[in-house]
Amino acid sequence: MTFTTRPTLQGTFGMVSSTHWLASQSAMGILERGGNAFDAAVTAGFVLHVVEPHLNGPGGEVPAIVATARDPRPKVLCGQGPAPAGATIAHFRSLGMDLIPGAGPLAAAVPGAVDAWLLLLREHGTLTLAEVLEPAIGYAAAGHPLVGRVGDTVAAVRSLFEEHWPTSAALWLRGGRPPAAGELVTNPAYADTLRRLVEAGRAAGADREAQIEAARRAWSTGFVAEAIDAFSRRPFQDSSGRPHAGLVTGDDLAAYSASWESPATLDWHGYSVAKTGFWGQGPVLLESLATVDALDDPGAYDPATAAGVHAQVEALKLAFADREAWYGDGADVPAKALLSPQYARERAALIGDRASAELRPGRPDGAQPHLPAHVRPGATRRADPTDPTTGEPTVQSDGVTRGDTCHVDVVDRWGNMISATPSGGWLQSSPTIPELGFPLGSRLQMFWLEEGLASSLAPGRRPRTTLSPTMVHRDGEPVLACGTPGGDQQDQWQLPFLLRHLVGGQSLQEAIDAPAWHTVSLPGSFYPRDMEPGVLVVEDRYDEGVLAALRKYGHEVRVTDGWSLGRLCAVTRDPATGVLAAGANPRGMQGYACGR
């Protein structure tokens, strides 16, 4: 019997896995009350706003992949807000910028998460808005024992809050200090915001869908939009070192609505793997799976060996190079070619017995790739490790954890399944809007201030997000939902997980617990868009012989703590038996699965 940090849960009623135990158990409570997987996921999403405020918030975003018992085909719920109308390259250039700041009002996209969760509830949920928001309101109003990483995050930005972001200091430095681990912390303003959304719904009458639509209007054109519009006009210090006002207006919120779209998919080993479209980084996983397959080498599938790690890392590097050259909202993406078997063979032919330190985008259908000047040879920059606001709060290249995004997977007894990755709007991204109890996000930093690129900034375009939920189907039925926080590492950590579970036959928990790695030999998605050619970060639980062999392949191996990389959540369903399963990440000691 293989030891795992916790069991792979099994049952037939319902399963939840998320990055915080309170979100998981709140979602499970909704299932116990008769709600379905989508009611439960919405509950978890709002609870995560409260209990993991350093990792996500209402001012952020959420992409999700959904399959219903009635229609098991995967659908993407896009809760990624676009660039506001005033966000032009010319505007940022007029401020003397060649990169969008990594924090502050100027970096905010239109908030997308709340509208997406409410759209999901309206179309696929069964419970009322009041019922699904009850746990989040309770934790925000009465308090919850704070995880230590929240206080650590506040301590890291304490001087910024005290000197430049007074509204954030008022919320997070009560008594003149950061909150302590386990301290009961409240957010009365956010509790009131949620109550007002519920009240707006009730004022619309007894119909459940009418109530949800009224709450959406209160968010996009009512009191929330009014508060965001007014606050965004105030200048605050950002990661450029200077104060700037934001660009998000009430009109931007009114113009935005979350949406449904078709996923990008790959047929692979008898499965169909679904990801968000090429407006996000999700297809990196599909390209990597196809390239590993095209190597036609059974050893390439094993993440426990040096040969397997080498093959997978090199496949990922090629896919991320394509991300930089080809992926972007509104871009002319050669999607069919990028996921074709012929292209996978072309890319696999570039993988030899030496690690590459080059950025090598491909030429799908013979097209010429275009890379930003910032990532061309000789133009890379080094991040400032003293600035805790920059970048997604994820795992640094030296393995030090600054935080993470969030993730939640749910499957119910009827066969409904969802994988969702909420993020953005974390407490250190932008000053707190005092009337609402949350800040805006900073996702605009993923755009380039250079014309003619796949991810060039333009009003109305969605940032090329790193948020990357996954759903796997077999014979047309959903069998697995998974995902992880981690910015540029999200699809890197999911690749070996899927290989271990779907090819290697490991249980969910075995595959989650297994030693992890990722490369930073790719342009970072977050300010200051750094790249460390040839560097491979590896947990120290790998055998020294594997590490030595990786160095012989030419990787610059950077060894980090044995339980520091990866934040995976996963749930499964066997359509033949109805047996459900779940696993959750032990790293960080926050993730938890529950079910029966």
Side-chain angles (χ1 to χ4, degrees):
M1 179 178 178
T2 301
F3 172 81
T4 55
T5 57
R6 70 274 308 265
T8 296
L9 306 183
Q10 289 187 300
T12 57
F13 180 80
M15 291 285 162
V16 181
S17 179
S18 89
T19 48
H20 195 291
W21 65 88
L22 291 179
S24 294
Q25 190 56 55
S26 296
M28 192 67 203
I30 291 293
L31 294 179
E32 296 286 1
R33 292 170 63 175
N36 66 17
F38 310 118
D39 298 310
V42 174
T43 294
F46 281 93
V47 169
L48 287 169
H49 292 164
V50 179
V51 300
E52 293 192 325
H54 58 317
L55 313 179
N56 82 135
E61 47 273 326
V62 57
I65 305 180
V66 167
T68 70
R70 180 175 297 178
D71 182 2
R73 293 173 298 178
K75 298 288 192 303
V76 172
L77 172 63
C78 178
Q80 173 58 68
T88 64
I89 291 176
H91 177 74
F92 283 90
R93 292 293 190 185
S94 73
L95 300 175
M97 297 180 178
D98 58 3
L99 291 175
I100 296 173
L106 198 57
V110 179
V114 168
D115 192 68
W117 286 126
L118 296 184
L119 176 63
L120 175 65
L121 182 66
R122 187 197 75 186
E123 298 204 358
H124 295 303
T126 62
L127 301 184
T128 66
L129 182 64
E131 289 172 309
V132 299
L133 292 187
E134 181 183 350
I137 293 172
Y139 285 127
H144 59 95
L146 203 68
V147 294
R149 294 182 187 276
V150 179
D152 294 342
T153 301
V154 174
V157 293
R158 179 173 183 169
S159 61
L160 174 69
F161 284 10
E162 290 176 333
E163 297 171 19
H164 301 290
W165 293 5
T167 58
S168 295
L171 178 60
W172 294 109
L173 294 171
R174 299 174 194 174
R177 60 169 180 81
E183 183 175 342
L184 205 61
V185 171
T186 62
N187 187 340
Y190 188 47
D192 188 55
T193 295
L194 295 181
R195 289 194 190 101
R196 292 182 68 181
L197 292 179
V198 171
E199 290 165 2
R202 286 175 172 154
D207 181 76
R208 190 188 77 91
E209 293 187 9
Q211 289 184 352
I212 296 169
E213 280 303 296
R216 293 178 76 192
R217 290 193 298 273
W219 177 272
S220 63
T221 61
F223 76 96
V224 174
E226 291 170 0
I228 290 175
D229 183 281
F231 193 77
S232 187
R233 299 172 191 272
R234 295 173 55 183
F236 287 92
Q237 181 100 342
D238 57 39
S239 48
S240 72
R242 304 186 304 277
H244 297 101
L247 298 171
V248 178
T249 67
D251 288 342
D252 290 315
L253 271 84
Y256 173 73
S257 177
S259 59
W260 295 98
E261 59 186 57
S262 298
T265 61
L266 177 73
D267 292 331
W268 179 81
H269 285 252
Y271 299 96
S272 176
V273 185
K275 301 292 290 185
T276 60
F278 284 86
W279 53 270
Q281 83 169 19
V284 160
L285 179 63
L286 306 183
E287 281 200 60
S288 301
L289 288 167
T291 302
V292 170
D293 253 9
L295 289 169
D296 197 24
D297 176 8
Y301 297 116
D302 190 353
T305 67
V309 173
H310 170 71
Q312 294 155 36
V313 169
E314 295 305 297
L316 283 162
K317 288 178 186 177
L318 294 170
F320 275 104
D322 280 343
R323 181 192 73 167
E324 211 55 66
W326 299 110
Y327 294 19
D329 187 30
D332 186 16
V333 182
K336 185 176 180 180
L338 286 168
L339 297 179
S340 69
Q342 177 184 346
Y343 186 71
R345 289 191 293 270
E346 292 174 7
R347 302 298 271 163
L350 297 176
I351 298 176
D353 58 3
R354 294 294 297 172
S356 173
E358 299 178 20
L359 194 63
R360 299 182 289 175
R363 298 171 58 92
D365 288 337
Q368 178 65 38
H370 296 284
L371 292 173
H374 188 79
V375 305
R376 294 171 199 159
T380 57
R381 300 182 178 187
R382 288 288 176 260
D384 177 5
T386 65
D387 185 352
T389 68
T390 59
E392 186 171 34
T394 185
V395 179
Q396 296 175 175
S397 60
D398 61 1
V400 175
T401 302
R402 283 167 37 174
D404 259 319
T405 292
C406 305
H407 188 81
V408 58
D409 299 309
V410 188
V411 61
D412 64 28
R413 62 190 185 274
W414 301 289
N416 299 302
M417 186 179 286
I418 179 171
S419 173
T421 309
S423 186
W426 40 74
L427 65 88
Q428 67 276 28
S429 66
S430 193
T432 298
I433 303 170
E435 304 95 321
L436 302 178
F438 62 83
L440 295 178
S442 56
R443 194 65 59 173
L444 286 192
Q445 65 187 288
M446 308 182 111
F447 283 114
W448 292 108
L449 298 178
E450 182 180 340
E451 299 284 2
L453 301 174
S455 54
S456 297
L457 174 65
R461 295 183 76 177
R462 292 170 290 185
R464 192 200 62 205
T465 181
T466 55
L467 306 178
S468 194
T470 298
M471 188 170 287
V472 178
H473 282 59
R474 186 179 63 229
D475 300 326
E477 295 289 333
V479 296
L480 168 68
C482 68
T484 176
D488 295 313
Q489 284 80 46
Q490 289 187 23
D491 290 296
Q492 298 195 59
W493 292 335
Q494 291 184 66
L495 175 64
F497 165 77
L498 292 176
L499 293 174
R500 286 178 169 121
H501 179 60
L502 298 180
V503 178
Q506 293 185 0
S507 71
L508 290 182
Q509 199 60 49
E510 285 178 305
I512 290 170
D513 284 355
W517 47 262
H518 66 260
T519 179
V520 288
S521 187
L522 53 95
S525 294
F526 295 89
Y527 180 92
R529 315 301 295 269
D530 198 17
M531 176 176 174
E532 296 185 81
V535 173
L536 175 63
V537 185
V538 183
E539 287 185 336
D540 66 13
R541 288 183 291 139
Y542 270 94
D543 181 83
E544 185 56 44
V546 172
L547 301 179
L550 288 170
R551 293 186 178 99
K552 287 183 179 179
Y553 277 115
H555 298 280
E556 183 182 332
V557 177
R558 186 173 296 163
V559 180
T560 188
D561 181 76
W563 294 95
S564 61
L565 308 181
R567 298 287 185 275
L568 280 150
C569 300
V571 299
T572 63
R573 179 177 184 269
D574 183 345
T577 64
V579 172
L580 314 176
N585 166 64
R587 300 165 176 87
M589 297 186 293
Q590 285 179 219
Y592 224 78
C594 53
R596 66 174 180 88

